[in-house]
Amino acid sequence: MRILIVNTSEKTGGAAVAANRLKDALNNNGVKAKMLVRDKLTDDITVVSLGHEWHNQWNLLWERFCVYWNLNFSRNQLFEIDLANTGTDITKLREFKEADIIHLSWINQGMLSLKGIRKILDSGKPVVWTMHDIWPATGICHITLNCLRYQSACGNCRLLPNGGSTNDLSHRVLERKKKMLEGRNVMFVTCSKWLEKEARKSAILAGQQVRSIPNPIDTHVFHPADSKQARIKTGLPLNKKIILFASQRVTNVNKGISYLVEACHQLATKYPEMVDNTAVAILGGHAEDLREEFDFEVCELGYVNDTQQIVDVYNACDVFVLPSLSENLPNTIMEAMACGVPSIGFKVGGIPEMIDHRVNGYVAAERSADDLARGIRWILDEADYAALSEASVGKVLRCYSQRSVAMRYLEVYNEALAYKNFRL
């Protein structure tokens, strides 16, 4: 069986990391898998570039311009909207023709157009589509933030100037997506049970199959290691308890850094000794913008894409905090848990599926800096830390190992092939 996983980037972003890990998990378990990407960053022979860089850049710029124009030339929501109005036709590529299954992943920002996806569906090859966010089930957004309009027809979109209208861009794109899938079957896979539940409500996905399979992680790479040695490698303080926050862009409002700042203010006020014995490590771009926000020492690690360095950072820290306002199944929590680091997150999206409250971490009430502070204090100073760490690793080995996830996807692929043969 030959699988072609299609994703915009090879490495950049959570979806790219997850898609790459799935490709490796499949190859390590007897399934031939390749990735087709626009942005190839390594010399990995199992990753194939679209080529035609100028054409790819034009597709990206044209789609962004169309979004920009619809926003009345405002940058505020520029990368929160995707139209898929332009992209590359991949059906003529050798890799496409050789594949038994086409596995779509995150294909936005000029990678594939809705017209191109319809062409893939019309090719007769079975299509599996992993949803790393809710965009395939909505008009134009990747995060609904409790908006329910995608369940009927979209329109009056919060992302558009003046709240849009009943026949605005979000409504029109939703109708195009419905037409794209009309009379065609796609096996949709969500990375969390929460997203599966939300996707099933979509007007676009009515009649389509939707199920959940988590992302995999290589537990031979992400695993517990000596904390002192990890701190020496990363340059983090040896004499403090370290809170870790990580995001590709740490100032992204959706990642909730402001709640961590407020939680640390509360802890510093209530437990003054923590000011001297606690530090906050920030992994990701723009960390310098937060330098003056915390009462605790801030260790700016910047953006890191070397896997071993990332593993060292996790092992150097005592607790990982991700106070996101919306999440699917964050790789960062999975990585921290695999390294034996207890995690804290809000009760949103797929986070409560990963963190078992007070068993391997702490699930805080949504948007509550108070409860976030309680969780940090509990893990650092009150809980049985060794038990939390052991439970974190055990959860990852049971639920997210390469083999367990690969076998679940293999069932989906076989089902997709069987359905194709039945139709024939």
Side-chain angles (χ1 to χ4, degrees):
M1 186 185 297
R2 291 162 295 188
I3 312 299
L4 183 65
I5 300 173
V6 185
N7 198 79
T8 302
S9 175
E10 178 184 2
K11 290 282 189 180
T12 305
V17 170
N20 214 304
R21 288 177 180 171
L22 175 60
K23 180 257 299 175
D24 290 342
L26 293 170
N27 283 319
N28 290 339
N29 286 277
V31 180
K32 294 180 180 180
K34 287 184 177 181
M35 270 182 81
L36 175 66
V37 301
R38 184 190 69 198
D39 304 329
K40 182 171 168 63
L41 303 173
T42 73
D43 57 1
D44 187 340
I45 60 172
T46 63
V47 179
V48 181
S49 171
L50 279 180
H52 307 293
E53 292 185 14
W54 183 90
H55 182 258
N56 298 333
Q57 188 66 16
W58 168 253
N59 286 338
L60 172 61
L61 292 174
W62 175 246
E63 195 213 22
R64 287 306 97 192
F65 174 78
C66 293
V67 174
Y68 193 39
W69 184 82
N70 278 280
L71 291 174
N72 291 343
F73 303 103
S74 167
R75 289 178 167 271
N76 289 344
Q77 319 290 351
L78 187 57
F79 286 94
E80 295 184 41
I81 293 173
D82 271 296
L83 309 180
N85 61 332
T86 185
T88 301
D89 178 6
I90 67 170
T91 61
K92 298 175 183 177
L93 299 178
R94 177 174 59 85
E95 289 76 17
F96 181 92
K97 293 175 180 177
E98 290 176 348
D100 298 306
I101 303 277
I102 305 303
H103 187 150
L104 303 182
S105 187
W106 200 89
I107 46 74
N108 297 114
Q109 296 186 8
M111 176 70 180
L112 296 182
S113 66
L114 299 184
K115 183 179 178 181
I117 296 171
R118 178 64 187 226
K119 196 166 183 179
I120 292 169
L121 299 177
D122 287 343
S123 73
K125 289 183 181 286
V127 175
V128 175
W129 193 342
T130 293
M131 295 174 59
H132 295 281
D133 56 42
I134 204 165
W135 181 85
T138 69
I140 59 177
C141 70
H142 294 269
I143 300 172
T144 58
L145 293 180
N146 300 318
C147 174
L148 305 179
R149 292 189 178 92
Y150 76 98
Q151 297 178 15
S152 54
C154 277
N156 299 115
C157 184
R158 64 181 175 83
L159 296 175
L160 298 174
N162 304 314
S165 65
T166 55
N167 191 38
D168 64 17
L169 183 67
S170 68
H171 172 77
R172 296 195 301 273
V173 175
L174 181 139
E175 291 299 317
R176 290 172 200 152
K177 287 182 178 180
K178 286 170 67 176
K179 187 174 181 181
M180 173 188 75
L181 293 175
E182 196 173 76
R184 298 293 181 270
N185 286 283
V186 178
M187 305 195 78
F188 286 93
V189 177
T190 66
C191 302
S192 67
K193 294 176 182 177
W194 164 78
L195 187 56
E196 177 189 7
K197 182 180 177 182
E198 295 301 300
R200 287 182 181 277
K201 301 173 186 175
S202 167
I204 298 170
L205 302 191
Q208 299 291 340
Q209 297 185 63
V210 184
R211 68 195 69 190
S212 66
I213 301 176
N215 297 325
I217 190 168
D218 189 343
T219 52
H220 294 100
V221 176
F222 288 87
H223 60 80
D226 183 80
S227 177
K228 183 178 179 181
Q229 289 302 314
R231 292 191 180 197
I232 292 171
K233 288 181 183 179
T234 57
L236 290 170
L238 295 173
N239 60 344
K240 295 188 176 187
K241 293 180 179 179
I242 300 176
I243 301 166
L244 175 64
F245 174 87
S247 174
Q248 187 175 348
R249 179 169 56 87
V250 300
T251 52
N252 181 345
V253 174
N254 184 60
K255 296 301 180 181
I257 188 70
S258 62
Y259 292 94
L260 178 57
V261 170
E262 175 56 30
C264 289
H265 281 324
Q266 293 185 21
L267 290 170
T269 300
K270 192 171 182 179
Y271 308 101
E273 70 278 8
M274 290 185 71
V275 175
D276 295 321
N277 66 24
T278 309
V280 177
I282 302 178
L283 182 64
H286 301 280
E288 65 279 0
D289 296 343
L290 302 165
R291 187 177 299 144
E292 306 301 324
E293 298 291 320
F294 287 93
D295 297 286
F296 305 147
E297 177 186 351
V298 174
C299 305
E300 302 164 18
L301 300 172
Y303 180 77
V304 176
N305 58 14
D306 179 82
T307 301
Q308 187 53 55
Q309 282 184 259
I310 294 171
V311 172
D312 289 337
V313 169
Y314 284 120
N315 277 296
C317 296
D318 298 288
V319 61
F320 176 66
V321 182
L322 186 67
S324 291
L325 308 184
S326 178
E327 281 288 353
N328 186 5
L329 198 82
N331 291 323
T332 47
I333 287 180
M334 190 184 299
E335 291 164 358
M337 290 175 65
C339 293
V341 180
S343 297
I344 302 173
F346 285 146
K347 191 176 182 180
V348 299
I351 289 177
E353 298 172 31
M354 306 179 80
I355 302 174
D356 301 312
H357 187 53
R358 290 179 176 261
V359 175
N360 55 36
Y362 191 96
V363 180
E366 186 175 351
R367 296 175 184 255
S368 173
D370 295 354
D371 204 18
L372 204 64
R374 277 193 290 272
I376 293 171
R377 180 69 181 183
W378 181 75
I379 287 178
L380 292 182
D381 295 289
E382 299 169 10
D384 182 339
Y385 189 87
L388 288 178
S389 179
E390 184 177 348
S392 295
V393 175
K395 176 72 176 279
V396 172
L397 291 173
R398 286 194 311 276
C399 301
Y400 310 129
S401 70
Q402 282 193 342
R403 179 165 178 77
S404 65
V405 174
M407 291 302 102
R408 292 180 67 179
Y409 265 108
L410 188 57
E411 290 178 8
V412 172
Y413 297 148
N414 283 326
E415 188 176 334
L417 284 170
Y419 181 79
K420 174 196 170 186
N421 293 333
F422 174 78
R423 288 283 297 251
L424 294 174

